[in-house]
Amino acid sequence: MTQRTAAGFTPPLTGTAGGPLDAAGTAEQLGRFTCDDPVRMRPVDPGPGRLLLVRHGETEWSRVGRHTGLTDLPLTNEGRARAGGLPELLAPHDIVHVRCSPLQRAAETLQLAGREPDTYDADLAEWDYGAEEGRTTAEARESGRPGWTVFDGVPPGDTPGETVEMVAARASRVLGRVWEHLGRGDVLLVGHGHHLRVLAAVYLRQTPYLADSLEFEAGSLCVLGHHRDTPTIQRWNLTP
């Protein structure tokens, strides 16, 4: 892989001269971004803030449907162009806290959105796809698993892989770290398609498998809030 990052952007993870980090290389570095912020219980009375979810812009792999978990790919030029419209979408919101995945496709999307992270959080990294890293769903199904999706589980590969329950546990920790901020205003989370879909399901107090029925386009914004004390989807897949 020889794709390049944009001028003026420095990825949080340390790559190599030969190109972006592979999944195993990223896994070795994620520990640098383990967050020790307190993980709090969901408050009984929701605060005024809304949860703003932004999926990173397009990469070469996301464009063709290859599972991109921990491989640290940069954005494509199209991905950068679309992310450049995010400031307009975010402008109406009273953002009091910003949290981002340390993978460069998320970090650069945040930069193009005109925001700085309060923290990079390893628990916002994408699903570890194990042996399915870099493969399309069609390729996985051709290996004797008709109808397969990642929600059915992934075998270990260069990295161990994760179950949906493991991803949901990470998403729950992220939410536990931002409840107090939502008591003051809106919180922006910038991350990845599968992980943020699972996080949305957890926020909504639903099974994490609900995420399999949610679509989240690259470079788009989703807004979660409350109706009285019931968590709700207020906007989904807003694009510049």
Side-chain angles (χ1 to χ4, degrees):
M1 291 178 288
T2 59
Q3 298 144 310
R4 297 182 178 180
T5 58
F9 170 70
T10 302
L13 299 172
T14 304
T16 65
L21 284 169
D22 61 15
T26 296
E28 291 177 0
Q29 292 196 34
L30 278 180
R32 293 166 42 205
F33 299 96
T34 299
C35 187
D36 58 3
D37 292 352
V39 177
R40 306 181 188 278
M41 297 289 290
R42 184 190 296 256
V44 175
D45 296 319
R50 291 166 292 182
L51 196 60
L52 313 177
L53 310 181
V54 168
R55 182 186 173 192
H56 64 78
E58 178 193 83
T59 69
E60 289 290 346
W61 283 14
S62 70
R63 182 175 57 82
V64 296
R66 296 173 67 182
H67 287 100
T68 318
L70 300 184
T71 303
D72 197 25
L73 293 176
L75 300 179
T76 62
N77 288 334
E78 174 61 29
R80 293 184 183 104
R82 185 161 179 176
L86 287 169
E88 181 179 352
L89 289 180
L90 296 174
H93 296 280
D94 176 26
I95 298 173
V96 299
H97 181 73
V98 179
R99 190 168 287 255
C100 186
S101 162
L103 292 167
Q104 66 170 296
R105 57 193 186 271
E108 188 177 3
T109 297
L110 176 60
Q111 182 186 73
L112 292 167
R115 303 283 172 164
E116 294 289 334
D118 291 301
T119 187
Y120 289 112
D121 191 337
D123 279 331
L124 272 171
E126 180 61 297
W127 195 320
D128 177 358
Y129 296 126
E132 301 305 336
E133 183 78 8
R135 283 157 53 91
T136 65
T137 297
E139 288 171 338
R141 291 175 176 178
E142 288 169 0
S143 62
R145 291 174 290 170
W148 176 88
T149 75
V150 295
F151 293 88
D152 298 315
V154 298
D158 292 337
T159 56
E162 289 181 295
T163 64
V164 64
E165 290 81 9
M166 294 166 71
V167 178
R170 290 199 286 114
S172 294
R173 290 196 295 269
V174 173
L175 290 173
R177 295 177 185 125
V178 303
W179 292 128
E180 65 173 335
H181 300 294
L182 288 167
R184 299 185 292 113
D186 297 339
V187 169
L188 173 62
L189 302 179
V190 181
H192 310 272
H194 269 127
H195 179 279
L196 288 179
R197 287 156 58 189
V198 171
L199 185 145
V202 173
Y203 178 91
L204 294 168
R205 299 192 299 228
Q206 303 298 318
T207 168
Y209 289 91
L210 173 68
D212 199 16
S213 298
L214 300 174
E215 294 186 36
F216 200 162
E217 296 180 11
S220 65
L221 167 68
C222 299
V223 181
L224 305 179
H226 284 83
H227 176 66
R228 299 188 177 93
D229 59 355
T230 300
T232 61
I233 296 174
Q234 295 188 349
R235 302 285 188 275
W236 196 262
N237 269 338
L238 297 177
T239 56

